[in-house]
């Protein structure tokens, strides 16, 4: 899974985007700079979010996105958003 951060940052400082993921019922793992997550289990529900931290230490987190990995008709593992 490769995530794209769509958070808007209106600050005047340099900033870093980090990413986190958790399984449903679990806790978020450590924030990571990489936007790639591997080892997802099909039909398991996950949550992910992004965080922006600027050079002054100001932090903004996105809302959670709930999804699960499922196999499509051609047998490829894809992400399906869950409400």
């Amino acid at each position: 899974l490769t995530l794209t951060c769509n958070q808007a940052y209106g600050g005047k400082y340099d900033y870093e985007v980090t990413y986190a993921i958790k399984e449903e019922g679990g806790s978020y793992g450590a924030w990571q700079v990489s936007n790639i997550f591997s080892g997802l289990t099909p039909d398991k529900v996950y949550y992910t979010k992004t965080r922006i931290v600027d050079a002054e230490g100001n932090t903004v987190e996105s809302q959670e996105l709930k999804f699960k990995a499922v196999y499509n008709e051609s047998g490829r593992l894809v992400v399906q958003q869950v409400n």
Side-chain angles (χ1 to χ4, degrees), residues 19-80:
Y19 304 84
I21 194 169
K22 72 175 182 176
E23 293 180 6
E24 188 168 50
S27 299
Y28 277 100
W31 290 99
Q32 64 182 50
V33 175
S34 174
N35 64 337
I36 298 172
F37 295 93
S38 60
L40 300 180
T41 303
D43 297 319
K44 187 172 275 193
V45 175
Y46 295 91
Y47 295 81
T48 188
K49 60 184 177 177
T50 59
R51 177 178 72 173
I52 292 176
V53 180
D54 71 16
E56 293 292 308
N58 300 307
T59 303
V60 179
E61 288 185 15
S62 70
Q63 294 181 346
E64 291 183 324
L65 173 65
K66 183 178 179 182
F67 70 94
K68 66 180 177 177
V70 296
Y71 287 104
N72 66 12
E73 294 172 356
S74 61
R76 184 171 178 230
L77 193 61
V78 296
V79 171
Q80 179 180 64

Side-chain angles (χ1 to χ4, degrees), residues 9-15 52 54-56 58:
Y9 174 72
K12 60 183 177 180
Y13 302 106
D14 290 336
Y15 63 93
I52 292 176
D54 71 16
E56 293 292 308
N58 300 307

